Amino acid sequence: MGTIINSLAIESSKGGDEIVQLISNTAKSCLRCSGLGISSIGMLISTGVYSENHLKEPALATLVHKQLLERNGLSKTYSEKLGELLSFDIHNGGGGIINAIQVIDGFMKSDEIENGLIVTGDVKPRMGKTENYNFETGAAAIILSKSRDKRGFVKFKTESFSEFKNDFFSSTNWDNGSLVFVNKQSNDYLKKTVSCVVKVIHRFFEEEHLSWDEIDFVFTSQSPKGFSFELKNKLNLKEKIIQLNEELEIYSSGLLFAVNQIFNSKEFSEAKNFLFVTVGAGITASLAYYKNH
Amino acid sequence: MIYSCNIESVGVKLPSLSLSTREIEKRLKTSSILKLELLTGISNRRICGENEDSLTLAVEAAQECLKKSELKADELEMIISCSISKYVNGLNHYYEPALSLLIKQKIGNSKALNFDVSNACAGMVTGVHIANNFIKQGKVKNCLVVSGEYISGLAKNAIENVDSIHHPELASLTVGDAGAAVILSRTDNNEEYLSVSEISTLGEFSHLCMGYQSNKSPGGIMETNMKKIHQVSIKHAPFVVDKALQKAGLKLSEIDYLIPHQTAKISICSGAKLLIKHFKKGPGEIVYNLSETGNTASTTHFATFYKYLNEKRFKTGDKVMLLSFASGLVFGVIIFSVNGILNRYGNNN
């Protein structure tokens, strides 16, 4: 029994969007591709980080949940299905997506859910002043489903390197009497993220007795800018690593943008094993190993 | 193999300062709001002073929890932070790194899997639900679920804005700051495991309570349709409780202590009446713990449980139900028995 990728959708924009609408549109596309209705989803997790109005509650996932119910005309009758869907957010910067996959995998393995929907995305905060926000506006959604065989996500590993916690941080402040949102990244943050990820990959391969020969494709975060290109060079990954435009920095949805690049291709369906890699503030590096056959 | 999971220890940190409801009434710009203390049952709430924030409250609650635990900080395998407010160094809201990472570092842990969960006032209940799943499946042996809520900024902003009893920020006048932490751990003891953890969302009502950053002053703004939220919660509470009880194989009357989300006296009382009417017989006690702390958001259930532990109210084998209602709209129920934990809080019956 495994947790497999059922469907995937992404959406990019030039900006000016509202996060709930952007993510909901992507989730609707994802549901459409899967042929599933919202009533088949047991868990909905959002891992998006930035919103236009610095939303704090409710969980962003619950607002997406509402949009998906309305799309299905279920908003008036869903009360009768109480207890069938739990929505909440997981926040862990660029790595929240792998934490969310791990959580959904757990609830599938314990037979509590059959399908899980993860949504993610970021838009530039527009409340007050925003400094150094350079991420693209984008959103992605992925549906994970239970498989009856051993395909799917099989192993996870997350490690954090808190000695680098000040190398990337984002927060609001009122230092000058008005609201300012600041995003700060050290000059050698990219180098440090690559170094941390390489260490974690080596330890993961050793613990799980894996080698690069067994990995057909590597999908990574698309932040910091140039991360997948540096990782490719450092590990000599050549075509194994799926790359997007080096100049684009897509935040919490970057990993799914990379998967989407080949998701509907023959290369993807014929590949045996994938490695998913995320890195984010902390520095936190997360890995997920996926068996496709 | 499926393992069992229990509540191994609990810790709470209340901040240093106090603010009375009478003081809030005096500061309001309207005289139309009367008897706030009588309606809410809240006389005082604790509020953060200098050098206190979401992070310090969470860290100190976690340290208190570890003092009562058999585990050392570096033995924790998973840390989930569940705060709605992520204020660090005053009212600066931290997006990244995750608050769980900062807590992990402050308490002296280097290896735990950490992430933040956000689910409004049901945050800790959601964290416990996830931790229970990870422990049951043997993915981790233990987990610290922690939250620090520095939300008194909501009340401060509401004092400036509320001009009538119907104002959407009225509920913000009930909030107080607190930190709470709970360690869940694998157990072989069949008499003290967490038997039910049920949680679900009625997304169609997610717009009824919205909180976001204020752009006029530090802290947040929370707008609530109190009447509608209360109606929906009251309507669905019996079904949620019934489902959890069925799963646990229990009747409501077999629950010794029911700890609901601590919002306001009037809401808790009307909810209690409804539950008793629906189930014919109520639990041993429906716990009400608002008077000195107010509504402390995601920390409310474990802050109340901790108070009762320290007051030595429980006896071995008592069954406790935590009942959560939160923006989203989230309904959660956790049922567990208290046994070994009592000794660590000086209660040997």
Side-chain angles (χ1 to χ4, degrees), chain B residues 184-326:
Chain B
L184 292 109
S185 173
R186 185 191 289 180
T187 181
D188 298 324
N189 186 340
N190 288 333
E191 291 177 348
E192 64 174 2
Y193 64 93
L194 196 148
S195 59
V196 166
S197 148
E198 272 283 314
I199 177 163
S200 59
T201 311
L202 287 181
E204 65 265 44
F205 303 111
S206 57
H207 61 294
L208 295 179
C209 179
M210 303 276 287
Y212 44 86
Q213 174 66 52
S214 164
N215 60 358
K216 290 181 189 159
S217 53
I221 297 279
M222 182 177 74
E223 295 180 330
T224 311
N225 183 338
M226 283 199 299
K227 193 176 169 188
K228 182 75 178 165
I229 271 201
H230 185 67
Q231 283 171 351
V232 175
S233 303
I234 291 286
K235 183 181 168 192
H236 291 94
F239 300 104
V240 177
V241 172
D242 201 19
K243 192 176 175 197
L245 287 169
Q246 278 183 34
K247 208 169 164 185
L250 293 169
K251 293 176 187 162
L252 186 63
S253 57
E254 291 174 287
I255 298 291
D256 299 289
Y257 294 89
L258 190 159
I259 304 178
H261 181 52
Q262 304 290 313
T263 49
K265 186 180 178 180
I266 193 167
S267 309
I268 293 177
C269 289
S270 60
K273 272 184 198 163
L274 188 97
L275 281 179
I276 292 165
K277 189 179 167 193
H278 182 89
F279 290 97
K280 314 288 186 224
K281 203 174 170 192
E285 181 180 341
I286 296 179
V287 183
Y288 155 74
N289 176 38
L290 279 157
S291 174
E292 295 303 313
T293 50
N295 175 0
T296 58
S298 65
T299 68
T300 176
H301 296 96
F302 287 101
T304 303
F305 179 60
Y306 177 83
K307 182 172 182 274
Y308 266 42
L309 269 176
N310 282 294
E311 289 175 356
K312 301 175 180 51
R313 303 257 194 154
F314 301 117
K315 60 182 188 302
T316 302
D318 274 350
K319 290 182 178 61
V320 179
M321 175 189 279
L322 309 183
L323 178 57
S324 174
F325 302 111

Side-chain angles (χ1 to χ4, degrees), chain A residues 116-252:
Chain A
L117 170 60
I118 301 171
V119 294
T120 190
D122 306 281
V123 302
K124 186 175 180 175
R126 294 196 290 269
M127 193 179 261
K129 193 177 167 192
T130 295
E131 292 178 358
N132 301 324
Y133 184 94
N134 299 313
F135 306 126
E136 301 294 319
T137 300
I142 186 170
I143 292 177
L144 304 173
S145 297
K146 192 191 280 185
S147 75
R148 303 293 158 198
D149 49 35
K150 288 183 178 175
R151 286 181 306 136
F153 288 97
V154 286
K155 291 285 175 189
F156 298 91
K157 184 174 181 70
T158 295
E159 275 191 39
S160 55
F161 299 80
S162 54
E163 62 271 32
F164 302 130
K165 72 177 195 297
N166 296 325
D167 281 76
F168 179 90
F169 79 89
S170 60
S171 79
T172 57
N173 71 58
W174 290 82
D175 295 347
N176 297 318
S178 60
L179 176 66
V180 181
F181 169 77
V182 186
N183 215 326
K184 278 191 180 166
Q185 184 175 314
S186 68
N187 291 336
D188 55 354
Y189 179 62
L190 172 62
K191 195 175 155 192
K192 285 174 179 169
T193 55
V194 172
S195 165
C196 292
V197 164
V198 168
K199 279 182 198 161
V200 178
I201 289 176
H202 284 155
R203 284 199 273 266
F204 185 60
F205 276 25
E206 204 174 302
E207 287 162 15
E208 304 300 337
H209 309 290
L210 290 170
S211 74
W212 282 114
D213 294 341
E214 293 163 86
I215 308 287
D216 296 301
F217 289 110
V218 180
F219 304 107
T220 71
S221 306
Q222 301 302 315
S223 172
K225 194 185 278 186
F227 172 72
S228 66
F229 292 83
E230 286 294 317
L231 191 68
K232 176 185 176 177
N233 294 337
K234 189 87 178 172
L235 293 171
N236 194 25
L237 292 174
K238 297 177 183 165
E239 314 75 51
K240 274 186 199 292
I241 194 161
I242 300 301
Q243 303 203 276
L244 306 178
N245 182 343
E246 191 175 5
E247 291 307 308
L248 293 182
E249 189 170 13
I250 305 165
Y251 202 54
S252 67

Side-chain angles (χ1 to χ4, degrees), chain A:
Chain A
M1 193 168 66
T3 300
I4 56 166
I5 301 173
N6 180 321
S7 69
L8 178 73
I10 61 162
E11 189 154 325
S12 52
S13 158
K14 286 181 179 165
D17 301 77
E18 290 181 2
I19 191 67
V20 176
Q21 208 54 52
L22 184 70
I23 288 185
S24 299
N25 289 343
T26 322
K28 286 171 191 171
S29 302
C30 198
L31 280 166
R32 212 167 24 244
C33 293
S34 71
L36 294 172
I38 182 69
S39 53
S40 303
I41 304 293
M43 191 171 274
L44 195 172
I45 304 177
S46 168
T47 65
V49 182
Y50 302 112
S51 61
E52 70 280 5
N53 60 351
H54 297 293
L55 177 73
K56 291 186 173 56
E57 76 166 288
L60 178 58
T62 68
L63 297 168
V64 174
H65 182 159
K66 181 177 194 297
Q67 296 279 321
L68 298 178
L69 290 173
E70 284 170 357
R71 170 220 180 207
N72 281 275
L74 286 168
S75 58
K76 286 181 183 162
T77 59
Y78 195 69
S79 309
E80 292 158 23
K81 290 176 174 280
L82 185 73
E84 295 191 4
L85 174 54
L86 167 61
S87 304
F88 61 93
D89 296 352
I90 286 182
H91 294 145
N92 205 3
I97 182 95
I98 286 186
N99 299 140
I101 293 171
Q102 195 171 4
V103 168
I104 284 181
D105 175 64
F107 282 90
M108 281 193 190
K109 295 219 161 83
S110 60
D111 283 328
E112 287 170 74
I113 60 170
E114 291 281 324
N115 303 289
L117 170 60
I118 301 171
V119 294
T120 190
D122 306 281
V123 302
K124 186 175 180 175
R126 294 196 290 269
M127 193 179 261
K129 193 177 167 192
T130 295
E131 292 178 358
N132 301 324
Y133 184 94
N134 299 313
F135 306 126
E136 301 294 319
T137 300
I142 186 170
I143 292 177
L144 304 173
S145 297
K146 192 191 280 185
S147 75
R148 303 293 158 198
D149 49 35
K150 288 183 178 175
R151 286 181 306 136
F153 288 97
V154 286
K155 291 285 175 189
F156 298 91
K157 184 174 181 70
T158 295
E159 275 191 39
S160 55
F161 299 80
S162 54
E163 62 271 32
F164 302 130
K165 72 177 195 297
N166 296 325
D167 281 76
F168 179 90
F169 79 89
S170 60
S171 79
T172 57
N173 71 58
W174 290 82
D175 295 347
N176 297 318
S178 60
L179 176 66
V180 181
F181 169 77
V182 186
N183 215 326
K184 278 191 180 166
Q185 184 175 314
S186 68
N187 291 336
D188 55 354
Y189 179 62
L190 172 62
K191 195 175 155 192
K192 285 174 179 169
T193 55
V194 172
S195 165
C196 292
V197 164
V198 168
K199 279 182 198 161
V200 178
I201 289 176
H202 284 155
R203 284 199 273 266
F204 185 60
F205 276 25
E206 204 174 302
E207 287 162 15
E208 304 300 337
H209 309 290
L210 290 170
S211 74
W212 282 114
D213 294 341
E214 293 163 86
I215 308 287
D216 296 301
F217 289 110
V218 180
F219 304 107
T220 71
S221 306
Q222 301 302 315
S223 172
K225 194 185 278 186
F227 172 72
S228 66
F229 292 83
E230 286 294 317
L231 191 68
K232 176 185 176 177
N233 294 337
K234 189 87 178 172
L235 293 171
N236 194 25
L237 292 174
K238 297 177 183 165
E239 314 75 51
K240 274 186 199 292
I241 194 161
I242 300 301
Q243 303 203 276
L244 306 178
N245 182 343
E246 191 175 5
E247 291 307 308
L248 293 182
E249 189 170 13
I250 305 165
Y251 202 54
S252 67
S253 54
L255 178 78
L256 297 184
F257 269 72
V259 180
N260 185 68
Q261 190 92 335
I262 63 162
F263 185 63
N264 292 314
S265 70
K266 198 176 164 192
E267 299 170 277
F268 186 94
S269 56
E270 288 181 352
K272 283 185 181 169
N273 304 313
F274 306 125
L275 185 67
F276 293 77
V277 180
T278 60
V279 70
I283 291 172
T284 299
S286 296
L287 308 175
Y289 179 53
Y290 186 95
K291 279 182 172 291
N292 204 29
H293 289 286

Side-chain angles (χ1 to χ4, degrees), chain B residues 101-163:
Chain B
L101 182 96
L102 304 181
I103 294 165
K104 178 168 128 172
Q105 194 193 28
K106 294 262 184 199
I107 64 171
N109 179 289
S110 57
K111 292 176 188 160
L113 167 65
N114 69 276
F115 54 84
D116 293 0
V117 161
S118 179
N119 206 11
C121 294
M124 282 193 82
V125 169
T126 307
V128 167
H129 187 59
I130 295 168
N132 184 36
N133 184 275
F134 271 63
I135 292 168
K136 273 164 61 181
Q137 292 186 66
K139 288 182 176 179
V140 294
K141 291 194 195 77
N142 58 63
C143 177
L144 171 73
V145 178
V146 58
S147 177
E149 296 290 20
Y150 178 11
I151 48 175
S152 52
L154 293 172
K156 199 176 166 194
N157 288 331
I159 288 168
E160 297 299 316
N161 301 335
V162 168
D163 54 9

Side-chain angles (χ1 to χ4, degrees), chain B residues 44-106:
Chain B
N44 291 294
R45 75 274 295 131
R46 303 291 282 270
I47 59 169
C48 285
E50 210 177 333
N51 301 323
E52 289 178 318
D53 53 41
S54 305
L55 179 62
T56 66
L57 292 175
V59 167
E60 288 183 53
Q63 285 165 337
E64 175 64 19
C65 190
L66 281 161
K67 270 188 211 164
K68 301 285 186 185
S69 171
E70 289 178 359
L71 294 162
K72 293 189 179 92
D74 212 30
E75 291 173 314
L76 294 170
E77 296 183 8
M78 186 163 163
I79 297 173
I80 305 176
S81 169
C82 310
S83 309
I84 307 166
S85 57
K86 297 183 181 186
Y87 293 119
V88 181
N89 299 328
L91 284 164
N92 297 330
H93 187 98
Y94 257 52
Y95 285 89
E96 301 190 64
L99 211 60
S100 53
L101 182 96
L102 304 181
I103 294 165
K104 178 168 128 172
Q105 194 193 28
K106 294 262 184 199

